[in-house]
Amino acid sequence: MHDLSGKKGFIFDLDGVVYIGKTPIEGARETLAHIREIGGKVRFLTNNAADSRDYHVRKLGSMGICCEINEVITSSQGVAIYLKDRYGTGKCFVIGEEGFVGELRQQGFRVVEGKEGERADFVAVGVDSGFTYEKLTIALRAVKNGARFIAANPDVSRPGEEGLDPAAGAMIAALEAASGVKPEVVIGKPNPMLFEIAVKGMGLRRNQVATVGDRIDTDIVGGNRFNLYTILVLTGITKRGDLRGLKGEERPKLVLDSVADLKGLL
Ligand SMILES: [Mg+2]
């Protein structure tokens, strides 16, 4: 049984739901086209803090899925919005990649490095494939000097092209271990903050929105905490055998083999 009646907005996780790495999930494009045809609103919401929203728009476009930049929400954008809303402006040292730096600059933050980094107001941490001892040193000193430590997303690893790759959570843990300070906030799912940005942006109420994800600990827990209708798909990290013993906020409202199956339910 499902209750998708009255749902007008759909929030999709990307990796494991719409595509896996560079390969689109069969039928994802058709489901998304169908949602638009029936007048539904769409948001793509990813904990991935490395890539820019532009990059995601282009990547989806290359798979035949058209979307606008305001339909993509990333954890790095979430960090920039959080800092802007609470603190207005300041100097930021970033452990993260170009997409992350770009979001902070767009919100008016000055991104600093080296000795200046040690005096930053904020240390923003996401996944960084160029993570070094030097970056960790600057971040450590900045935090010890009183910088606010903000983290993009909690994922400790992610599927890579040749196996598992370390993700933001591993860099966050390194800074936490060195400094003895925990991040003030971890913006990405399961924190409902990105869902809040998405629902607000669509101009809908929570009970009009469903979210589709492949991870229990981020997508489903985060969606349930924000009272969205949560749909788990089995094309990504979670397999049917993992569903036994799920409790409370870990339980999706609906389980589908693939996002392709959503089309027939709308
Ligand atoms: Mg995913």
Side-chain angles (χ1 to χ4, degrees):
M1 270 306 289
H2 65 82
D3 185 17
L4 285 160
S5 59
K7 297 293 177 278
K8 293 186 163 48
F10 296 83
I11 300 172
F12 293 88
D13 175 52
L14 286 172
D15 214 352
V17 174
V18 178
Y19 51 70
I20 295 174
K22 291 175 181 153
T23 312
I25 299 279
E26 210 182 310
R29 184 168 59 88
E30 287 77 5
T31 291
L32 282 153
H34 179 68
I35 289 172
R36 294 199 192 271
E37 264 167 40
I38 60 174
K41 291 183 179 176
V42 170
R43 289 293 184 273
F44 299 98
L45 196 159
T46 175
N47 265 4
N48 174 350
D51 300 314
S52 68
R53 282 179 288 151
D54 265 327
Y55 169 88
H56 290 297
V57 171
R58 274 182 275 122
K59 181 170 177 176
L60 287 165
S62 75
M63 296 174 177
I65 297 168
C66 292
C67 72
E68 313 238 326
I69 193 156
N70 69 355
E71 293 175 323
V72 178
I73 293 153
T74 65
S75 62
S76 50
Q77 180 195 12
V79 170
I81 291 173
Y82 173 90
L83 288 177
K84 173 87 177 173
D85 285 352
R86 276 169 187 72
Y87 306 113
T89 183
K91 287 192 287 186
C92 214
F93 178 70
V94 183
I95 292 179
E97 303 195 2
E98 275 310 303
F100 201 171
V101 169
E103 291 293 349
L104 289 160
R105 287 200 174 122
Q106 267 183 40
Q107 294 293 338
F109 291 92
R110 196 150 78 78
V111 176
V112 291
E113 295 177 347
K115 280 284 161 203
E116 216 183 345
E118 295 179 13
R119 298 277 163 209
D121 303 299
F122 312 104
V123 173
V125 185
V127 66
D128 188 343
S129 59
F131 185 65
T132 59
Y133 188 81
E134 188 193 349
K135 287 187 183 178
L136 183 57
T137 307
I138 297 167
L140 164 64
R141 292 177 186 169
V143 168
K144 286 296 189 190
N145 285 331
R148 293 179 180 277
F149 172 15
I150 314 291
N153 58 295
D155 313 52
V156 288
S157 63
R158 57 179 181 178
E161 294 294 317
E162 292 163 29
L164 217 50
D165 289 337
M171 328 247 131
I172 294 161
L175 180 55
E176 199 178 312
S179 66
V181 176
K182 285 192 184 299
E184 168 177 317
V185 61
V186 185
I187 299 288
K189 300 173 269 186
N191 188 329
M193 212 170 283
L194 298 182
F195 288 115
E196 194 179 342
I197 294 171
V199 172
K200 205 169 154 190
M202 290 190 285
L204 296 172
R205 294 189 307 275
R206 296 183 206 194
N207 61 5
Q208 297 176 299
V209 179
T211 183
V212 188
D214 70 309
R215 287 190 76 110
I216 299 286
D217 59 348
T218 53
D219 302 321
I220 301 304
V221 169
N224 282 338
R225 281 184 189 167
F226 200 57
N227 282 324
L228 302 180
Y229 186 82
T230 45
I231 303 171
L232 178 76
V233 290
L234 301 175
T235 43
I237 205 116
T238 310
K239 302 300 168 203
R240 206 166 275 280
D242 303 328
L243 301 179
R244 258 174 278 127
L246 294 181
K247 290 186 213 68
E249 64 185 14
E250 296 171 341
R251 282 203 199 108
K253 299 282 189 299
L254 178 67
V255 180
L256 298 175
D257 286 323
S258 160
V259 71
D261 301 332
L262 182 59
K263 184 181 169 189
L265 304 179
L266 302 175

